[in-house]
Amino acid sequence: MRKFNIRKVLDGLTAVSAVASASSAAQQQQAGNRETEIQETLQSEHFQLCKTVRHGFPYQPSALAFDPVQKILAIGTQTGALRLFGRPGVECYCQHDSGAAVIQLQFLINEGALVSALADDTLHLWNLRQKRPAILHSLKFNRERITFCHLPFQSKWLYVGTERGNIHIVNVESFTLSGYVIMWNKAIELSSKSHPGPVVHISDNPMDEGKLLIGFESGTVVLWDLKSKKADYRYTHDEAIHSVAWHHEGKQFICSHSDGTLTIWNVKSPTKPFQTITPHGKQLKDGKKPEPCKPILKVEYKTTRAGEPFIILSGGLSYDTVGRRPCLTVMHGKSTAVLEMDYSIVDFLTLCETPYPNDFQEPYAVVVLLEKDLVLIDLAQNGYPIFENPYPLTIHESPVTCCEYFADCPVDLIPALYSVGARQKRQGYSKKEWPISGGNWGLITQITLQVLYKLKTAKVFEKSRSKDDRPNTDIVDEDPYAIQIISWCPESRMLCIAGVSAHVIIYRFSKQEVTTEVIPMLEVRLLYEINDIETPDGEQVPPVPTPGTGSNPQSIVPQSHPSTSSSSSDGLRDNVPCLKVKNSPLKQSPGYQIELVIQLVWVSGEPPQQITSLAVNSAYGLVVFGNCNGIAMVDYLQKTVLLNLGTIELYGSNDPYRREPRSPRKARQPSGGMLTVASCMCGLSNLYSESVKKLRTSYISKSSHGIQIFFFLNLNLIFYRSRSSSVTSIDKESREAISALHFCETFTRKADTSPSPCLWVGTTLGTVLVIALNLPPGGEQRLLQPVIVSPSGTILRLKGAILRMAFLDTTGSLVPPAHEPWREHNVPEDKDEKEKAKKRRPVSVSPSSSQEISENQYAVICSEKQAKVISLPSQNCIYKQNITETSFVLRGDIVSLSNSICLACFCANGHIMTFSLPSLRPLLDVYYLPLTNMRIARTFCFTNNGQALYLVSPTEIQRLTYSQETCENLQEMLGELFTPVETPEAPNRGFFKGLFGGGAQSLDREELFGESASGKASRSLAQHIPGPGGIEGVKGAASGVVGELARARLALDERGQKLGELEEKTAAMLYSADSFSKHAHEMMLKYKDKKWYQF
């Protein structure tokens, strides 16, 4: 056996390394000199990070309020968020710093202010007169818990009920407590031995502001006289109270109870209810009480001038209606309508024509806040139809899995998607306009989101009719149709999706309806195994021949694998896809229509691995996808498989890990009950895992720079059974997954003199491989001649999994992938069109340098750890940037900004960074948010013009900008919530009511609750906290009837302040004049006797 001198070997390696590094340095220096020709215009001052707007349904809603004059809706959530909605396109998001749940909201009607009560016993006053609302005051209760608040119309005194049963009064102008307190033991009967429970309701009599109705949870209701400070009447009932509502005349009120009953009381008859109603109780014979029902959580009592009053309630269904959906009940006269809801009812409000509680209410709509939806019901039309919701609140129809964000789309794309999406709308909506119509638009095109079109990809597969017949994927436990990855070409409108059941569907856009008799389908057997990695002292293994060079022609022969058998010879499941494609004719509506379905099949009892990367190219007619086993390329025009290789075979003899196929293949038994969480996102195998659920939708927002389109998919955390015991034990090098794919027209080898079509493949081990594509001529020849695919032998290396690849021309401009313009395929072509199609050969040319595309190019490659810019065709690395050492990049995108391009990255440690191109200079590094869950990792994406977005909650999208220009102009883009509107006139009392003292009785609350009358409140009871809104916000809130005094006070203060400032300025000017006079006199004395030549 030949002996090696290890020292000589090392010396030789050192020498070779030194020569290589020297030549590499020289090449990089030369390339660097050439690089200086590219003028980079982006600087750090072009970047600034800020949130812009939040879209979607408020996550975990908990409170609801409406301003009937401004017509603004407010929703509070369990996480302390506040969402305000005006007319479509006017939305606002605010957040309480504490993050405590919002338990109640109260508008200061038509005054541009809102009071929020939180579960941490704080009250906050929001100023809505600025585009970004701010808190003016806060009040923190220390000894009592807030349970209910009531702010009468045009009053500055807020009643606050507590868990102890007491009522405190807050001045909303100064946000200080009054000394006037209603104690629970004074309100209830003195003879009562038990505590009445927390306050669940407070309201003043519509006809007498001096009478306050207080509802306690135990069933006691008290009518309290504010002036005499004692209870006028006490109404007791056996069942607990949930809500109370007045008749507008102030003579009756209605209570809802925990046994599903409603009790109507006459104010002056406290001994027993005037009427007891069980809306959903079965009436028993012999006059017995109806069976108890579920609690009625809320009731509203609204009157009309021309007919019977409306009684509207939530809950109250009988207990035997198991499985019945939540309902809203509308009782009008003798008719009772039960409106079923899709989700639990959180709260509802009846929208009325007047803000005055002592007038006929004239209800016209009911806004129902559900757990996951917002519904508006038209009360004026028969059948109570719902209004069509104009807000984009349905992105969470099923959990969202990933987002793709496209800016600068072709101008004809949005109208095309809108026209086909308009046909999908439901019928039977109310014909009236959306009643929440307050506020004014800003630059609406920048910050709105509109649903355009929805696509359901599950239609192509057979649905399981029984539990036993459900598709057994062994990949997910729940939804086998869920989508993981999208690849979309906006120019050609080709769409490709990869699903969790290892399926790929290619869609083509058409405006014509078609019926597909047989759905085109391909099955691919993609499983590749390797022997253990050879150790250095092991036996030398002969290199694997490079596919495509003639030694392994089988790997590139177009072929498909029909599922001819469902099990292999040893009884294991084999050659069977996870899902079954429909074999009946499929009617396809205008929009996206199926071009081809590709499925990976089971191999010897093992299910296919989930797809980790996907790319489609309309100019080449190709789609490519990969997973941890290998890569497959399909010609979707000819419906053939062009490439089906294990990842190791792509290396050929250049495999740095010396892996080889396992041969012969050893039969393996299916694994036991072990569960494995698998990452569906490449490069995140060391982080978390999530799975997928269903939904296929697209959304848009317009921009001044162009049009932007959103695609959303859905996801749930799912565990799936381990493929085999080897998956968890095998070394990571042996499970190298395909993590990035990019079609382009560039230099495939160092010796190339001109660019040609190729595919760049990135793997989870940081390798970039190049596959050359030899395409036949266009037209009919494209459908007859095969596409020849061959690995080029080019291999590049980076640290970490490859995430993104892009190409620049000699001027540093982005070279977009080749694409074909969209044309209608379901209409026969003219002869002229056919001739054009034959001649047409789409070429990717950058907009700035079409003259010499073959001169030079630069590849930009971003991995989890670093980015490199590589000169082509020399393949020299001219720039390198280590993005992160301690974390890893979750998302990297090459984007355009201010007529230049940059690399934008989002890291798992929460940092957002941008780098110039091609020099990779750091331009921005801001800590934005930590990676708290996999949802953010899967949905975060950048796009052009400084835009980015991610899913901030399961139902909401947060948009942000990293452009300094957009941040500066954000104020102009946002809509205005508050608009000056005249308050409607108060109802006319009438001659006789005025003469005999009927009508509404007013109350001087200042006289009762002011400091002079009631004294100061205990300091330990609540703590006042000034808000960041400042004096500007106070000015905004101090308006209308309530704010006149405060405004006058402010004006006097300001006048005094200005007079004081004026006096100071006058004194300063006098002092300055006196000083100047002294200096002038001194100068005059100094130079008085000197001649001109002595100066």
Side-chain angles (χ1 to χ4, degrees):
M1 190 175 183
R2 187 180 175 185
K3 293 182 179 179
F4 287 94
N5 186 326
I6 190 67
R7 178 173 291 181
K8 286 184 178 180
V9 171
L10 289 173
D11 289 345
L13 285 173
T14 308
V16 170
S17 173
V19 171
S21 62
S23 63
S24 174
Q27 287 174 343
Q28 288 194 25
Q29 186 178 1
Q30 184 182 354
N33 293 337
R34 180 186 181 84
E35 226 31 64
T36 56
E37 297 171 13
I38 298 178
Q39 295 294 321
E40 293 182 2
T41 57
L42 285 179
Q43 302 297 330
S44 296
E45 54 265 26
H46 290 112
F47 293 88
Q48 186 182 341
L49 196 68
C50 70
K51 294 179 182 178
T52 52
V53 69
R54 186 172 289 201
H55 299 296
F57 183 77
Y59 183 55
Q60 295 179 329
S62 57
L64 182 67
F66 183 71
D67 186 326
V69 180
Q70 287 288 319
K71 299 198 182 300
I72 296 286
L73 185 77
I75 297 175
T77 74
Q78 293 179 29
T79 55
L82 195 59
R83 292 285 296 279
L84 296 140
F85 296 90
R87 66 180 60 195
V90 177
E91 290 182 37
C92 184
Y93 161 76
C94 314
Q95 177 69 47
H96 294 91
D97 291 337
S98 66
V102 180
I103 57 174
Q104 201 174 347
L105 296 170
Q106 289 269 308
F107 274 102
L108 277 68
I109 294 173
N110 201 28
E111 296 198 25
L114 175 75
V115 174
S116 58
L118 271 58
D120 64 354
D121 309 308
T122 54
L123 296 171
H124 303 276
L125 178 66
W126 290 86
N127 174 23
L128 307 183
R129 289 177 173 244
Q130 53 200 62
K131 289 191 173 183
R132 290 210 156 178
I135 292 175
L136 297 173
H137 300 284
S138 298
L139 194 64
K140 167 73 174 170
F141 279 74
N142 297 320
R143 295 185 300 186
E144 297 197 50
R145 309 221 63 185
I146 298 171
T147 55
F148 193 88
C149 298
H150 170 63
L151 180 66
F153 179 45
Q154 295 183 331
S155 166
K156 69 174 183 180
W157 299 97
L158 174 75
Y159 301 105
V160 180
T162 68
E163 197 172 47
R164 289 188 184 178
N166 303 325
I167 293 177
H168 302 279
I169 299 165
V170 176
N171 183 323
V172 293
E173 286 179 357
S174 61
F175 240 55
T176 53
L177 275 174
S178 164
Y180 191 112
V181 182
I182 304 172
M183 304 300 289
W184 67 269
N185 53 356
K186 300 279 182 67
I188 64 168
E189 294 278 0
L190 294 175
S191 59
S192 177
K193 294 179 181 178
S194 59
H195 190 277
V199 175
V200 295
H201 178 82
I202 307 170
S203 60
D204 46 345
N205 187 317
M207 287 296 180
D208 188 351
E209 294 173 352
K211 310 288 186 186
L212 198 66
L213 195 70
I214 306 164
F216 296 97
E217 190 181 65
S218 63
T220 300
V221 179
V222 175
L223 188 67
W224 181 265
D225 189 310
L226 290 166
K227 288 180 180 176
S228 63
K229 299 184 181 180
K230 64 178 184 179
D232 280 357
Y233 299 103
R234 297 180 179 93
Y235 315 84
T236 55
H237 194 68
D238 296 338
E239 295 295 332
I241 289 175
H242 285 278
S243 71
V244 184
W246 278 103
H247 187 282
H248 87 274
E249 291 177 346
K251 296 175 182 176
Q252 282 186 339
F253 61 89
I254 187 169
C255 301
S256 72
H257 299 278
S258 57
D259 63 345
T261 59
L262 298 172
T263 54
I264 299 176
W265 299 79
N266 285 332
V267 170
K268 296 184 178 179
S269 303
T271 52
K272 66 173 185 177
F274 165 72
Q275 188 180 358
T276 301
I277 308 167
T278 309
H280 297 286
K282 292 179 181 176
Q283 298 295 329
L284 301 176
K285 295 177 181 178
D286 305 327
K288 292 182 180 178
K289 283 186 177 181
E291 291 180 358
C293 296
K294 295 175 185 177
I296 296 176
L297 301 176
K298 185 172 183 180
V299 64
E300 291 204 340
Y301 198 5
K302 302 297 179 183
T303 54
T304 59
R305 206 176 296 273
E308 298 281 345
F310 282 88
I311 298 176
I312 302 165
L313 57 108
S314 64
L317 296 176
S318 64
Y319 281 102
D320 59 3
T321 54
V322 179
R324 188 168 180 180
R325 294 191 292 181
C327 294
L328 187 82
T329 305
V330 180
M331 301 170 70
H332 185 219
K334 294 182 180 179
S335 70
T336 300
V338 180
L339 310 174
E340 288 193 340
M341 303 291 158
D342 290 333
Y343 307 101
S344 300
I345 297 173
V346 175
D347 198 0
F348 73 89
L349 288 172
T350 309
L351 308 189
C352 301
E353 296 289 353
T354 177
Y356 293 95
N358 59 354
D359 194 9
F360 285 99
Q361 299 298 289
E362 302 295 346
Y364 59 89
V366 181
V367 54
V368 189
L369 178 63
L370 305 177
E371 196 176 37
K372 294 183 180 178
D373 202 0
L374 182 72
V375 176
L376 254 79
I377 298 162
D378 187 352
L379 291 178
Q381 287 189 37
N382 291 333
Y384 305 130
I386 64 170
F387 289 89
E388 185 177 4
N389 196 323
Y391 307 133
L393 302 181
T394 57
I395 61 172
H396 62 283
E397 275 184 48
S398 56
V400 178
T401 58
C402 71
C403 303
E404 292 296 335
Y405 191 1
F406 297 87
D408 298 327
C409 292
V411 291
D412 60 342
L413 183 63
I414 300 305
L417 286 170
Y418 182 83
S419 65
V420 294
R423 306 185 193 187
Q424 298 176 327
K425 290 184 178 179
R426 285 175 46 188
Q427 302 297 317
Y429 287 116
S430 169
K431 295 176 183 177
K432 293 185 178 178
E433 289 195 7
W434 184 251
I436 302 165
S437 56
N440 281 327
W441 291 318
L443 293 177
I444 185 172
T445 54
Q446 279 283 6
I447 58 166
T448 55
L449 186 74
Q450 180 185 345
V451 179
L452 272 186
Y453 174 75
K454 297 182 182 181
L455 175 64
K456 295 185 177 179
T457 63
K459 285 183 177 179
V460 69
F461 300 110
E462 295 282 2
K463 292 287 193 305
S464 53
R465 296 183 182 178
S466 64
K467 290 184 179 179
D468 300 332
D469 193 32
R470 283 182 180 171
N472 178 23
T473 64
D474 277 12
I475 294 182
V476 290
D477 291 339
E478 216 166 316
D479 189 352
Y481 309 112
I483 302 173
Q484 285 179 298
I485 311 172
I486 290 177
S487 179
W488 189 50
C489 176
E491 289 79 13
S492 65
R493 304 181 191 172
M494 291 299 295
L495 172 65
C496 194
I497 65 99
V500 73
S501 297
H503 63 278
V504 173
I505 309 177
I506 304 161
Y507 290 91
R508 194 186 289 276
F509 186 85
S510 174
K511 294 181 179 179
Q512 308 293 321
E513 183 179 292
V514 296
T515 301
T516 306
E517 296 297 328
V518 179
I519 298 169
M521 183 183 68
L522 280 178
E523 291 174 2
V524 179
R525 187 182 177 95
L526 185 60
L527 184 81
Y528 195 77
E529 291 195 347
I530 51 89
N531 279 329
D532 296 335
I533 298 170
E534 295 297 326
T535 55
D537 57 346
E539 217 173 298
Q540 187 76 18
V541 180
V544 181
T546 304
T549 57
S551 56
N552 191 6
Q554 189 179 356
S555 63
I556 59 167
V557 173
Q559 56 183 325
S560 63
H561 302 270
S563 44
T564 53
S565 61
S566 60
S567 61
S568 59
S569 56
D570 53 1
L572 297 175
R573 202 170 178 187
D574 193 47
N575 266 4
V576 178
C578 296
L579 301 174
K580 187 179 179 183
V581 176
K582 285 181 179 176
N583 53 16
S584 56
L586 181 67
K587 184 180 177 182
Q588 302 197 70
S589 303
Y592 276 103
Q593 299 170 351
I594 295 162
E595 176 80 5
L596 179 64
V597 179
I598 307 163
Q599 293 192 88
L600 298 183
V601 296
W602 287 61
V603 178
S604 301
E606 291 189 13
Q609 298 286 328
Q610 291 186 5
I611 292 165
T612 55
S613 56
L614 174 72
V616 65
N617 187 282
S618 58
Y620 307 154
L622 304 177
V623 65
V624 62
F625 55 93
N627 60 14
C628 63
N629 280 331
I631 186 171
M633 188 185 296
V634 170
D635 181 342
Y636 65 76
L637 297 176
Q638 295 187 20
K639 312 290 189 290
T640 56
V641 179
L642 300 174
L643 186 73
N644 182 1
L645 288 180
T647 314
I648 304 153
E649 286 184 294
L650 288 172
Y651 287 91
S653 58
N654 299 320
D655 183 8
Y657 300 104
R658 312 303 303 151
R659 296 163 292 189
E660 65 162 339
R662 187 188 298 274
S663 179
R665 190 181 190 285
K666 296 176 184 177
R668 288 204 216 123
Q669 297 301 320
S671 63
M674 181 172 62
L675 288 174
T676 306
V677 180
S679 173
C680 304
M681 183 172 182
C682 305
L684 298 182
S685 53
N686 57 338
L687 185 63
Y688 307 108
S689 162
E690 292 230 12
S691 74
V692 270
K693 220 166 159 156
K694 70 180 158 191
L695 171 66
R696 311 66 193 151
T697 54
S698 69
Y699 299 82
I700 73 154
S701 78
K702 296 179 181 177
S703 162
S704 60
H705 302 291
I707 306 290
Q708 301 160 357
I709 296 188
F710 299 83
F711 276 83
F712 299 97
L713 308 179
N714 314 302
L715 179 75
N716 268 346
L717 179 63
I718 301 242
F719 293 84
Y720 63 86
R721 295 191 180 276
S722 169
R723 306 291 181 261
S724 70
S725 58
S726 68
V727 173
T728 53
S729 63
I730 203 161
D731 292 329
K732 71 171 186 175
E733 284 84 2
S734 63
R735 304 298 290 183
E736 184 176 13
I738 307 296
S739 59
L741 296 162
H742 188 83
F743 284 105
C744 55
E745 198 148 324
T746 188
F747 303 91
T748 55
R749 300 174 183 86
K750 289 184 180 181
D752 285 358
T753 56
S754 62
S756 58
C758 57
L759 171 71
W760 283 51
V761 181
T763 75
T764 51
L765 295 186
T767 303
V768 176
L769 304 142
V770 183
I771 297 175
L773 308 174
N774 192 344
L775 299 166
E780 292 179 3
Q781 293 299 310
R782 174 63 184 84
L783 301 175
L784 300 174
Q785 297 181 22
V787 177
I788 299 170
V789 182
S790 58
S792 66
T794 296
I795 295 179
L796 306 169
R797 304 272 308 163
L798 279 80
K799 285 182 188 174
I802 306 298
L803 298 179
R804 194 74 59 203
M805 295 174 281
F807 293 86
L808 313 180
D809 63 14
T810 49
T811 65
S813 299
L814 198 64
V815 179
H819 60 265
E820 187 181 57
W822 177 80
R823 58 189 177 86
E824 180 60 71
H825 278 255
N826 291 328
V827 174
E829 286 184 325
D830 298 333
K831 287 184 179 179
D832 295 342
E833 289 292 326
K834 285 187 178 181
E835 289 299 319
K836 287 179 185 176
K838 284 181 184 179
K839 294 174 183 177
R840 182 172 63 232
R841 175 69 186 278
V843 177
S844 169
V845 180
S846 75
S848 61
S849 64
S850 58
Q851 63 275 8
E852 291 185 19
I853 190 169
S854 63
E855 186 182 343
N856 203 3
Q857 282 189 359
Y858 304 100
V860 181
I861 306 171
C862 177
S863 77
E864 286 181 328
K865 293 288 186 181
Q866 62 180 195
K868 285 185 179 180
V869 175
I870 294 165
S871 178
L872 299 175
S874 66
Q875 297 181 12
N876 293 327
C877 176
I878 56 173
Y879 293 107
K880 183 172 78 170
Q881 178 67 248
N882 290 322
I883 299 170
T884 176
E885 294 292 341
T886 57
S887 184
F888 56 94
V889 179
L890 290 165
R891 177 81 183 209
D893 287 298
I894 291 91
V895 292
S896 66
L897 177 70
S898 302
N899 298 318
S900 190
I901 57 167
C902 64
L903 169 65
C905 299
F906 172 56
C907 290
N909 60 10
H911 282 252
I912 289 177
M913 295 179 280
T914 62
F915 302 91
S916 68
L917 288 174
S919 68
L920 293 175
R921 282 181 300 111
L923 297 171
L924 176 76
D925 186 353
V926 177
Y927 176 74
Y928 178 67
L929 82 165
L931 181 65
T932 51
N933 54 52
M934 187 63 180
R935 181 181 59 248
I936 296 172
R938 286 196 59 90
T939 57
F940 199 103
C941 54
F942 298 95
T943 190
N944 297 335
N945 307 323
Q947 303 293 319
L949 63 79
Y950 62 97
L951 213 70
V952 68
S953 74
T955 63
E956 295 167 291
I957 295 166
Q958 179 65 56
R959 287 171 65 185
L960 57 142
T961 182
Y962 50 93
S963 161
Q964 190 265 343
E965 183 186 357
T966 306
C967 289
E968 280 186 356
N969 298 327
L970 185 59
Q971 212 45 26
E972 295 175 17
M973 297 176 198
L974 297 172
E976 291 179 301
L977 286 167
F978 180 82
T979 50
V981 179
E982 286 285 330
T983 302
E985 288 186 12
N988 192 354
R989 292 175 68 184
F991 175 74
F992 289 106
K993 285 186 177 179
L995 186 64
F996 298 110
Q1001 302 294 314
S1002 61
L1003 172 74
D1004 187 351
R1005 295 186 176 94
E1006 183 70 39
E1007 186 182 324
L1008 273 177
F1009 305 143
E1011 194 174 310
S1012 58
S1014 61
K1016 289 186 177 180
S1018 169
R1019 288 188 178 183
S1020 61
L1021 182 62
Q1023 176 190 358
H1024 176 259
I1025 305 165
I1031 196 164
E1032 290 299 320
V1034 177
K1035 287 180 198 171
S1039 67
V1041 177
V1042 177
E1044 288 300 330
L1045 287 171
R1047 192 163 59 181
R1049 214 177 301 130
L1050 268 172
L1052 284 170
D1053 289 346
E1054 282 183 0
R1055 189 180 173 200
Q1057 188 178 346
K1058 286 176 181 175
L1059 284 170
E1061 287 174 3
L1062 186 63
E1063 190 178 350
E1064 286 174 8
K1065 284 180 181 176
T1066 307
M1069 285 176 70
L1070 283 169
Y1071 175 77
S1072 178
D1074 188 46
S1075 176
F1076 178 76
S1077 173
K1078 279 182 182 178
H1079 283 297
H1081 186 67
E1082 286 171 5
M1083 290 284 288
M1084 185 269 293
L1085 291 174
K1086 185 176 180 181
Y1087 296 109
K1088 184 173 70 169
D1089 299 325
K1090 287 190 178 183
K1091 304 294 182 183
W1092 64 269
Y1093 52 82
Q1094 293 176 315
F1095 283 20

